[in-house]
Amino acid sequence: MAEHIITLVLSGERLDVTTSTPFVVALRDLLYEGDWELLKEDMKKKENIMKEVQTCEKLEKVVHLDETVYEPLIFPEFQEWLREENITPKDFKNVSLKGLYDLALEYADRNLYDIAHDIIKFMLDIDENYAPAYELKGSLLVEQGKIEEGIKYLDKAVEIDPWLVQAYASLGEAYYNLGDYEKAIHYWERELEYNPNDKITYFMITEAYYEMNRKDLAVKALERLLEIDPDNIPALYQLSQLYRELGNEEKAREMEEKIMNCKPKYPTELEPWARVMLKHGRYKEVAEELEKIVESSPLNTLARLLLVVPYVKLGQIDKAREILDDIGQNNFWYYYGKKEILDELLTEEEKRACGIS
């Protein structure tokens, strides 16, 4: 039962705030998208809840009631409160389940999968045909390595809602993890039918074709991406490598020329852009661009590490050694993981000059 916390006097009226008050605000936000009227329609036979709602509505005349009232929301405690108030899934007629979906996702992001699955079960108890709940359940199971079980839920999601794009994406991931690349591609292509601008999916299809040793079809997937995003540097870079593996040096060089006419806009573009520019001796341009990035983002370790190459090539060995010493001391494993860039772009003599063994 709710316990009294404090009594407030508002315009001469006494308002009792109880241990239930934060849960009622959470109920409104999670299941009714902040709408008191819809909540009241469902809870009109729940005397305790209606009394709490009246208190909240009066409080909102002077103070905004939002998530700060109840966060952090611990879902097991919220469920226990619902049981105490004799509120069951059949009471929810006018709800939106998006808030619960987001809450389950938050728990999953913290690796609290058991609670995430409990929330999903609660959603399905409210609406057994809520396709996003099946999609989320399937996606989490795939993420947990329970791939076959996850596929069953994802299949159910697209059976209920064939437009549920995320379910196709997760099905593609599931079959890719199983090594069934053809099925993975099938589902990713279905995803692109509904969302042709999802750029990551083109890369996933490319990877699947590569695993199948169909480099010709991998090329076509990236060419489709370039039709909607002609200056996509990672796509151009991957295409240059694929063309080179297929023996088409002319097309490989064409892709590299396009990269050299671009400027990196996103973090994922920085490394492929720098690799191509440095390969073709554009040291000064790379140094200037990377220095601007480091100036605005001093903790950008990749930009700093890449700077080593143009500094060495331009004879600024002291600057290169300073960067390497700092990264070696503070980000050793990152340096170790990216050292192959330096091995690729520097000669043995240049590496010895800046202390790379």
Side-chain angles (χ1 to χ4, degrees):
M1 296 296 293
E3 296 179 10
H4 179 264
I5 297 177
I6 190 173
T7 297
L8 302 174
V9 179
L10 182 62
S11 301
E13 183 179 5
R14 294 167 60 87
L15 301 176
D16 291 329
V17 176
T18 74
T19 52
S20 279
T21 307
F23 286 120
V24 170
V25 178
L27 181 65
R28 177 202 66 178
D29 290 356
L30 278 178
L31 285 137
Y32 296 94
E33 296 187 346
D35 191 320
W36 286 121
E37 296 306 316
L38 291 175
L39 186 154
K40 288 190 288 186
E41 179 64 26
D42 283 356
M43 299 292 128
K44 57 189 175 187
K45 294 183 180 179
K46 308 289 183 182
E47 185 178 337
N48 290 343
I49 303 303
M50 293 302 291
K51 184 178 178 181
E52 291 285 354
V53 170
Q54 290 172 4
T55 297
C56 290
E57 288 183 315
K58 290 171 182 175
L59 285 173
E60 282 203 311
K61 292 178 181 179
V62 293
V63 63
H64 181 57
L65 300 180
D66 57 17
E67 65 274 9
T68 58
V69 174
Y70 54 82
E71 284 192 341
L73 181 68
I74 300 172
F75 184 71
E77 291 182 359
F78 180 68
Q79 270 194 309
E80 179 61 28
W81 173 77
L82 291 174
R83 284 192 289 269
E84 288 175 359
E85 295 295 339
N86 197 29
I87 299 172
T88 66
K90 65 181 176 59
D91 292 314
F92 298 117
K93 308 295 183 186
N94 298 286
V95 294
S96 163
L97 297 178
K98 185 180 182 304
L100 287 172
Y101 182 101
D102 292 340
L103 184 64
L105 208 52
E106 287 177 21
Y107 273 103
D109 287 342
R110 302 203 305 270
N111 295 322
L112 298 171
Y113 289 107
D114 288 347
I115 298 177
H117 287 299
D118 286 344
I119 297 171
I120 294 168
K121 181 182 182 302
F122 184 58
M123 285 192 277
L124 292 174
D125 287 342
I126 296 171
D127 181 0
E128 65 180 3
N129 291 311
Y130 186 57
Y134 290 101
E135 172 270 314
L136 183 56
K137 176 91 174 173
S139 297
L140 294 184
L141 288 169
V142 170
E143 195 174 302
Q144 292 176 268
K146 302 173 183 177
I147 299 175
E148 289 86 354
E149 188 181 355
I151 287 172
K152 293 177 184 177
Y153 282 93
L154 293 167
D155 283 339
K156 179 70 173 177
V158 295
E159 177 188 329
I160 295 170
D161 183 2
W163 293 81
L164 194 57
V165 173
Q166 183 54 42
Y168 293 118
S170 295
L171 278 164
E173 179 186 346
Y175 281 110
Y176 183 89
N177 290 340
L178 288 173
D180 192 338
Y181 304 120
E182 288 188 7
K183 273 194 177 178
I185 292 166
H186 166 75
Y187 283 109
W188 282 327
E189 290 289 2
R190 289 293 304 276
E191 178 192 358
L192 290 177
E193 288 176 20
Y194 298 109
N195 186 17
N197 293 318
D198 189 340
K199 298 171 187 177
I200 292 175
T201 303
Y202 291 95
F203 287 105
M204 299 303 295
I205 292 171
T206 299
E207 188 64 28
Y209 275 129
Y210 194 87
E211 290 291 340
M212 295 168 64
N213 199 31
R214 292 301 309 270
K215 296 175 185 176
D216 55 330
L217 296 178
V219 164
K220 290 185 183 299
L222 290 174
E223 286 176 339
R224 286 164 57 199
L225 172 54
L226 292 179
E227 288 175 8
I228 62 173
D229 187 10
D231 294 331
N232 189 300
I233 292 175
L236 289 167
Y237 183 77
Q238 203 164 338
L239 258 178
S240 71
Q241 294 192 310
L242 282 169
Y243 279 129
R244 191 160 281 122
E245 290 180 28
L246 290 168
N248 193 337
E249 186 61 33
E250 182 180 350
K251 289 292 289 184
R253 175 64 190 228
E254 181 186 326
M255 296 303 107
E256 291 179 347
E257 289 287 349
K258 288 182 178 180
I259 291 172
M260 289 189 286
N261 288 324
C262 298
K263 283 286 180 70
K265 299 175 184 175
Y266 307 105
T268 53
E269 298 181 332
L270 187 58
E271 184 176 330
W273 174 82
R275 279 177 177 267
V276 172
M277 292 286 285
L278 293 167
K279 174 185 173 183
H280 291 281
R282 307 277 280 271
Y283 309 127
K284 189 170 184 298
E285 292 173 62
V286 174
E288 289 173 352
E289 186 66 26
L290 293 176
E291 284 170 345
K292 285 191 291 186
I293 292 171
V294 171
E295 183 178 353
S296 61
S297 304
L299 298 180
N300 190 322
T301 306
L302 176 59
R304 294 175 64 231
L305 185 64
L306 289 169
L307 255 176
V308 169
V309 177
Y311 280 161
V312 170
K313 298 292 186 182
L314 295 169
Q316 300 176 30
I317 304 298
D318 288 344
K319 285 186 176 181
R321 290 185 72 103
E322 182 181 345
I323 292 172
L324 286 170
D325 288 345
D326 180 65
I327 294 178
Q329 290 178 20
N330 298 306
N331 292 279
F332 174 76
W333 289 112
Y334 184 87
Y335 165 73
Y336 186 78
K338 290 290 186 181
K339 183 175 176 291
E340 51 93 15
I341 299 175
L342 306 180
D343 291 335
E344 176 186 329
L345 295 169
L346 296 176
T347 67
E348 290 301 319
E349 184 179 348
E350 288 169 335
K351 287 193 289 182
R352 282 195 299 270
C354 57
I356 301 174
S357 56

